[in-house]
Amino acid sequence: MLTNTDLGKLIIRLTLGCLLLFHGIDKLMNGVGFIEAQLISLNLPAFLAWGVIIGEVLAPLMIILGFHTRTGSLLIVANMLVALILVHSHQLMLLGSNGGLHLELQFFYLMSAVAVFFLGSGRYTLRN
């Protein structure tokens, strides 16, 4: 029987997973050159940029399918923390012209992944 809780978990999983997956597909199609440049500027190896594929392709697919959902959500949390530190640290508390934070989208992904970690996948998963 479908419960509101299971439906809510499915909706948040699909929203987080699908929206973040679009970013991963873009990186698969267009490369990770921007991230490589950021890493090089910090004297870090450029190949680490390809880790974004884990956080923006593999992890969202795990969450969408409900396969090791909590692990997938932790991968997204790590991915978003790295993105905030590597690319957005200068914008952390800046307000936009509409009164919202510049980084609302990044915080949405981060906190939605934290919520999915604590909520779990619910009843509707690849395994059910």
Side-chain angles (χ1 to χ4, degrees):
M1 176 176 192
L2 181 66
T3 66
N4 289 339
T5 302
D6 289 323
L7 181 58
K9 289 175 183 180
L10 177 62
I11 291 169
I12 195 168
R13 278 183 24 232
L14 293 177
T15 302
L16 172 62
C18 290
L19 291 177
L20 192 54
L21 184 59
F22 288 126
H23 291 270
I25 290 169
D26 176 67
K27 289 179 180 74
L28 285 174
M29 294 174 63
N30 298 309
V32 294
F34 173 75
I35 301 168
E36 288 175 332
Q38 293 292 318
L39 290 165
I40 290 168
S41 74
L42 296 171
N43 295 318
L44 294 169
F47 76 87
L48 293 175
W50 288 98
V52 74
I53 302 304
I54 294 169
E56 293 184 7
V57 176
L58 178 63
L61 288 173
M62 292 169 71
I63 286 177
I64 290 167
L65 298 172
F67 180 74
H68 296 282
T69 303
R70 286 192 165 102
T71 301
S73 67
L74 286 177
L75 290 170
I76 291 174
V77 167
N79 183 75
M80 294 312 303
L81 290 174
V82 169
L84 286 168
I85 293 166
L86 190 63
V87 181
H88 302 289
S89 60
H90 66 284
Q91 300 173 306
L92 282 178
M93 299 312 288
L94 293 179
L95 296 178
S97 59
N98 63 355
L101 291 175
H102 274 290
L103 301 178
E104 287 175 348
L105 182 61
Q106 291 83 356
F107 283 120
F108 167 79
Y109 290 139
L110 174 64
M111 297 314 295
S112 294
V114 170
V116 169
F117 175 78
F118 286 111
L119 291 171
S121 59
R123 180 176 176 182
Y124 299 99
T125 69
L126 182 67
R127 291 184 271 173
N128 288 340

